[in-house]
Amino acid sequence: MPTLEEELLRLMTEETARLHAAPDLVERVVRGSRRRRTRSRIAALSASVAVVAAPVAYMGMGAATTTGGEVTISATPEPPAIDDVPPQPSEPPTLGDLGDGKAFGHVKVGYLPERLIWSRWSVNFGDKYSTAYGYEGDDSGFYRVQIYMYEQATVEEVADRIAAHRDEGEGEEVTVGDRTGYLVVQDVGEDGMKGTPTLFLKMGERQWAEIMISPVYAGELGDADAVTAELRRIAEGLTSTL
């Protein structure tokens, strides 16, 4: 039985003979028909490959078997893990309600300069924690005195900082009662900033305190001797509870 293409060729040959058309007209029409069909088949195949390739590429090394000349995928693709909530930075836990702020972590504060109260601010990084004190009703956020405690492995940070100050010829060794310490003005700015008067106090083999008076408060206290005297009083009143 003649194919559709053969029948078309026969009919067009007879018609062109009757019309005295160009002798290759039938071949050109048939070739064009074949090219169009070929392009259609290629386009359809490309679309099919694209559809199949996407899950295959997604599956990566999924198993495949050949059956009757056809490739079938035996693995079932697993959906990718979806986590549309990016990790959020977490704030360090506070030291909780400190009451009057004179007992926190493993230390008790026996002395604070006149008018200073707990600022109700604190941070807790485990073996390193801090709180601060300011004026009652002062909403400016400025501290007047801050105490930072270092325990266990974090005392190495204090040792490194003191060593750096020694190397730079900054500060001096001090004795507070039967405890040793280091007195220095930290962060002196080249732009005329006064820096932060600080007393590092060794409270035990694995516990140090860093007592700081803000540059603003240092100016309110007066000269360097007055500032040093307040630092020493605060240091003398600190008691370890370790």
Side-chain angles (χ1 to χ4, degrees):
M1 183 176 180
T3 64
L4 177 60
E5 186 174 302
E6 290 171 345
E7 182 64 16
L8 176 62
L9 178 60
R10 182 185 66 79
L11 292 174
M12 292 185 69
T13 301
E14 293 175 355
E15 186 64 19
T16 53
R18 184 178 66 82
L19 297 174
H20 305 287
D24 65 343
L25 174 61
V26 175
E27 293 181 6
R28 281 187 279 139
V29 171
V30 171
R31 283 200 302 271
S33 176
R34 288 175 178 169
R35 281 196 297 270
R36 285 192 296 273
R37 288 199 301 272
T38 299
R39 284 196 297 268
S40 298
R41 286 196 299 270
I42 291 173
L45 179 60
S46 299
S48 300
V49 170
V51 171
V52 173
V56 171
Y58 163 70
M59 289 169 60
M61 298 300 293
T65 58
T66 302
T67 305
E70 295 183 357
V71 177
T72 60
I73 304 302
S74 60
T76 302
E78 294 291 335
I82 297 176
D83 183 6
D84 56 359
V85 180
Q88 300 295 318
S90 58
E91 293 295 330
T94 67
L95 292 172
D97 184 358
L98 305 182
D100 62 2
K102 291 188 175 182
F104 64 100
H106 299 113
V107 66
K108 289 184 178 180
V109 181
Y111 169 82
L112 284 175
E114 188 178 357
R115 295 177 54 210
L116 294 193
I117 64 170
W118 180 44
S119 66
R120 309 199 67 80
W121 171 90
S122 64
V123 291
N124 183 7
F125 300 101
D127 289 338
K128 184 168 66 173
Y129 50 92
S130 177
T131 195
Y133 308 88
Y135 292 136
E136 185 175 4
D138 184 1
D139 297 327
S140 65
F142 292 113
Y143 77 97
R144 292 311 190 264
V145 170
Q146 181 176 357
I147 300 175
Y148 224 119
M149 298 301 301
Y150 301 83
E151 297 171 357
Q152 306 308 325
T154 66
V155 300
E156 300 301 327
E157 296 180 31
V158 178
D160 291 343
R161 290 168 61 190
I162 292 176
H165 287 305
R166 286 196 188 104
D167 292 343
E168 294 295 327
E170 302 167 347
E172 59 179 312
E173 308 284 345
V174 296
T175 300
V176 180
D178 60 351
R179 297 180 293 196
T180 60
Y182 200 84
L183 183 66
V184 65
V185 178
Q186 301 187 93
D187 306 320
V188 178
E190 295 180 1
D191 56 357
M193 290 183 63
K194 300 293 186 180
T196 304
T198 303
L199 197 159
F200 293 100
L201 180 69
K202 184 177 181 180
M203 301 186 63
E205 288 302 318
R206 306 303 289 175
Q207 186 184 44
W208 277 75
E210 179 183 11
I211 307 164
M212 293 166 280
I213 286 180
S214 72
V216 172
Y217 189 46
E220 295 174 3
L221 291 175
D223 59 20
D225 289 341
V227 172
T228 299
E230 288 290 31
L231 283 171
R232 283 182 168 275
R233 291 188 187 105
I234 297 170
E236 288 170 354
L238 291 185
T239 305
S240 174
T241 59
L242 273 178

